[in-house]
Amino acid sequence: MVSMQQRAMLALLAGVLLSGLSPILVRLSPVDPGATAFWRLVAAAIMMLLFARFQVRLPLRVIGAVAAAGFLLAADLVLWNMAIVSTTILEATLLVMLYPLLVAAAEILWLKRQLGWPLVAGGLIAFGGAALMSLGPSTGQSSLAGNALALTAAFFYAGSLLIIARSCRGHDVMAVTFWQMLSAALCSLPTLLWEPNFLPADAAAWRFVGIYGLVTVGGYLLINIGLRRIAASIAAILGYAQPVIATVIAYFLLAEMPSHIALLGGAVVLAGLFLAGAARKPTPAAIAAS
């Protein structure tokens, strides 16, 4: 029989798998990147409200915390888009992918959790694999300001994940996910002001937004379900699987052949995740503390 812990891990893995579709969908989006983030979040919030049958009441304290997490998520998306066009893709990718290590550091230093060496070592190895995957020809110009944006985005996403993980324990996950999506959508609204192609032009474009919204709400809901029983540090490190998933999907859907260094990096990421999976299971008290 599958335990509650195993079900949570399966939900988390499924959420990471869906999240791996995002880079492909951003590439195919009929609107600009900031507008894509806004419309996918709006669609996700509406769908989550319907899935929850409008039962999204939470204590005001929890709504405030989740709204703060939504702001951090929106800021992460906006800053990431700005970093991509301000510095090299290599530097922006490496800096934003520091977020799992930031989450682990916060749990060690702030929450006083003992993560165990397999989890920490696995996270570092997976980060090294992600670094390998990002290597390649670059025509961009390195920028200190752009690098600062990417690093700030990593801090924002780490903060968002920690807040959501805490909010999901003891409260309805559907309600938490709804307020997360709604607040992130509202906070990303200003991005529409500086992008010319911000409105879906036809029915096909609106269908794309709806599909992306479904993928978004499915990914975040499954991750949030997993966060009820899985530590945020483990969930964050599993996020290193996203570039591997995106690479595989891009090969089949867009005929993009990964380089040998990207394949090697993907293998290193998987090795790191395998090692992290051998980490000692946290006690219920430790999970509750996070």
Side-chain angles (χ1 to χ4, degrees):
M1 180 177 293
V2 179
S3 67
M4 296 296 292
Q5 189 86 2
Q6 290 172 327
R7 290 179 182 177
M9 181 60 75
L10 289 174
L12 193 58
L13 290 172
V16 171
L17 177 61
L18 284 176
S19 298
L21 291 169
S22 284
I24 309 302
L25 293 175
V26 170
R27 177 84 65 86
L28 299 174
S29 177
V31 295
D32 290 334
T36 299
F38 171 75
W39 289 116
R40 70 183 269 210
L41 291 168
V42 169
I46 294 173
M47 291 177 188
M48 195 67 256
L49 186 63
L50 296 175
F51 293 159
R53 299 181 180 181
F54 297 89
Q55 303 299 314
V56 292
R57 295 184 62 182
L58 290 171
L60 288 178
R61 172 182 57 82
V62 179
I63 291 177
V66 175
F71 164 77
L72 293 175
L73 175 61
D76 161 68
L77 295 174
V78 172
L79 291 177
W80 166 244
N81 289 339
M82 293 174 63
I84 283 294
V85 299
S86 301
T87 188
T88 65
I89 292 179
L90 169 62
E91 291 171 331
T93 301
L94 285 180
L95 289 170
V96 82
M97 287 306 290
L98 285 171
Y99 82 87
L101 304 182
L102 296 175
V103 171
E107 291 201 334
I108 294 173
L109 300 176
W110 176 36
L111 301 175
K112 307 301 181 182
R113 283 201 56 210
Q114 295 182 355
L115 301 183
W117 74 264
L119 182 63
V120 175
L124 291 173
I125 292 172
F127 174 73
L132 282 176
M133 293 189 70
S134 66
L135 292 176
S138 176
T139 58
Q141 180 67 39
S142 179
S143 163
L144 182 60
N147 291 344
L149 290 173
L151 183 59
T152 305
F155 275 95
F156 280 178
Y157 187 73
S160 176
L161 185 62
L162 286 167
I163 295 172
I164 289 298
R166 194 174 186 87
S167 300
C168 285
R169 298 181 186 117
H171 299 96
D172 183 71
V173 174
M174 286 192 172
V176 170
T177 306
F178 165 73
W179 289 107
Q180 178 189 16
M181 296 295 97
L182 179 63
S183 58
L186 294 176
C187 291
S188 63
L189 179 60
T191 62
L192 301 183
L193 299 178
W194 65 70
E195 289 185 341
N197 183 27
F198 65 87
L199 190 66
D202 51 32
W206 283 109
R207 280 196 299 271
F208 179 91
V209 167
I211 293 172
Y212 199 0
L214 183 60
V215 171
T216 299
V217 74
Y220 280 103
L221 178 60
L222 287 167
I223 289 173
N224 290 349
I225 290 173
L227 285 172
R228 296 191 69 180
R229 292 183 174 273
I230 304 297
S233 53
I234 296 177
I237 289 173
L238 285 176
Y240 282 129
Q242 292 179 5
V244 179
I245 294 169
T247 299
V248 173
I249 295 173
Y251 172 75
F252 287 104
L253 291 186
L254 304 177
E256 290 189 1
M257 178 65 70
S259 65
H260 291 93
I261 194 69
L263 293 174
L264 175 61
V268 173
V269 168
L270 295 178
L273 295 180
F274 180 80
L275 178 59
R280 184 180 61 187
K281 293 182 179 178
T283 64
I287 293 179
S290 66

